[in-house]
Amino acid sequence: MAVSPTLNQAMSCDLSYCREDWQRGYNSLYEEFDYWIDQIEGIIPPELEGTLFRNGPSLLDVKGQPIHHPVDVVGLVSAIAFTDGKAHFRNRYVRTAGYEAEQQAGKIVYRGVFGTQKPGGWLANAFDLRIKNIANTNVIYWGGKLLALWEAAEPYQLDPHTLETIRLDDLGGILQPSPAFSAHPWVDPACVVDGSPRLVNFAIKPGLSTTITRYELDEAGKLVDRSCHDVPGFAFIHDFAITPHYCVFFQNPVRFNPLPYLLGWRSAAECIQFQPDQKTRIVVIPRFGKGSAQMIELQAGFVFHHANAFEQSDSLVVDSVCYADLPSVQPDADFRQTDFSQLAPGQLWRTEINLKTETAQRRLLEARCCEFPTRHPARVGQPYRYLYLAAAHAPTGNGPHQAIIKVDVESNDRQIWSAATKGYVGEPVFIPRQQSLLEGAEDDGWVVTLVFDASHDRSDVVILDARNLNQGPIARLHLKHHIPYGLHGSFTSQCFLP
Ligand code: CO
């Protein structure tokens, strides 16, 4: 039976959320701000010192012309600087070449990977394979540089104090001639080679077969290790996991038919189809030496994000958010009309990969719909206990992220704070109280996230005590405006003020 939009709306308002509320979190933010936050409920912990950087889509239209999918939208970077119990907010668009061109032209000039087409139908789009670097997925501070990341091209370097765009950055030439640099680098807190932190990242060169390049950068941002590995078939890999000795990639079972894309009928993402009857291929790449990749099969599933990984005798343990199915991106569908009940939820799975027998098996850790996992930075690549994730309010089914959950992977305990019915949360970031991790203090710190508050159409910065999520926010900082739902970000203990 076809359900009328009105009836559907009424039904969805019986849930923990109202789709019309959720949709407004995707309205464009046209302004750039710079101010001390003065509307605060609760108390900002005075020991909380540093800067939280966030990135995500900004302008969901170009001069009124809608962008088809938020993932096609140029990045908006926000910075919340904490010092002495106060907090300062600012935000800036990343002035990429594509952003400047479209703002000057007053119209969409580039096709988007996720379905945005130029005006003029398929003839105007055919064989236009130019890619607009949108720098919208993540933002990190590393090697003295603030970098806005997007997986298919070079990072954009920003001024960490003002967020002004400085330039496209090929990282001192290491990204020439193949410019990709994924949006999901990890910081290995203590590399086994010399005990110092390293940024580990990868790049994908897609094609009939795929090349994965591994990069390792020291604290100064200099390249200290790199290797290239060929993997059969097309690969859609957004994130990976690291341990002290390995990088682990899940090659999702998808099929890519480029013809409709080349002909301008479809966007690239609309040509990708999940293949539930095929296996996921796990690719394990050694971090040191010249060893080749090991490839191990696992039952089908689609993974965007990994939570953590660690080594355990002959095995690797990898925790990931996995979807049983991934619907194809439909050319005529509007993401604002998402029917959550029709989509498979992301769930937290633990995969054990035996490197000797080259077998893998997995088990469910958390059935609640969840995404954007985060953990203590000193536990990256190490056995660990606590994960924090954005999650649906309801324990079963699918829904927008309205809650933050803490999963104790040792005891299986859970804590939850929900912002339902009017709140919609973003990626949580765990900030430790102290730089060094003391025994029994893995959850001594704060979980900070942005929450879209549909009752005021503005966003809040919410600070939770990581030891006691259930008690609710210890501080809620009201911004003067909303920030469209974002993707990823990171925290640095340096406090950057203009
Ligand atoms: Co991501």
Side-chain angles (χ1 to χ4, degrees), residues 10 29 59 70 83 107-108 133 146 191 225 227 242 280 297 304 306 322 328 349 353 396 403 415 438 458 468 473:
L29 176 64
L59 301 167
T83 183
K107 62 178 186 183
I108 295 170
N133 183 343
L146 186 66
C191 174
D225 206 343
S227 61
I242 64 166
T280 291
E297 288 192 337
F304 286 105
H306 297 285
C322 186
S328 301
W349 289 80
I353 306 160
T396 58
Q415 289 186 8
L438 304 171
R458 64 187 185 187
N468 194 353

Side-chain angles (χ1 to χ4, degrees), residues 137 183-184 238-239 304-305 372 487-488:
T137 314
H184 277 287
H238 173 70
D239 188 11
F304 286 105
H305 298 122
F372 296 133
L487 293 164
H488 304 288

Side-chain angles (χ1 to χ4, degrees), residues 42 44-45 51 116 185 196 242 288 320 324 348 354 372 382 392 416 423 432 438 441 449 452 460 463 481:
I44 302 173
T51 311
T116 305
S196 56
I242 64 166
F288 312 105
S320 322
L348 184 65
N354 188 312
F372 296 133
Q382 302 291 331
I416 184 165
L438 304 171
T449 187
F452 173 64
D460 293 339
I463 305 173
H481 47 83

Side-chain angles (χ1 to χ4, degrees), residues 29-44:
L29 176 64
Y30 297 107
E31 276 181 84
E32 295 180 322
F33 296 89
D34 196 326
Y35 59 91
W36 287 95
I37 302 170
D38 55 8
Q39 284 192 309
I40 299 169
E41 284 175 64
I43 298 201
I44 302 173

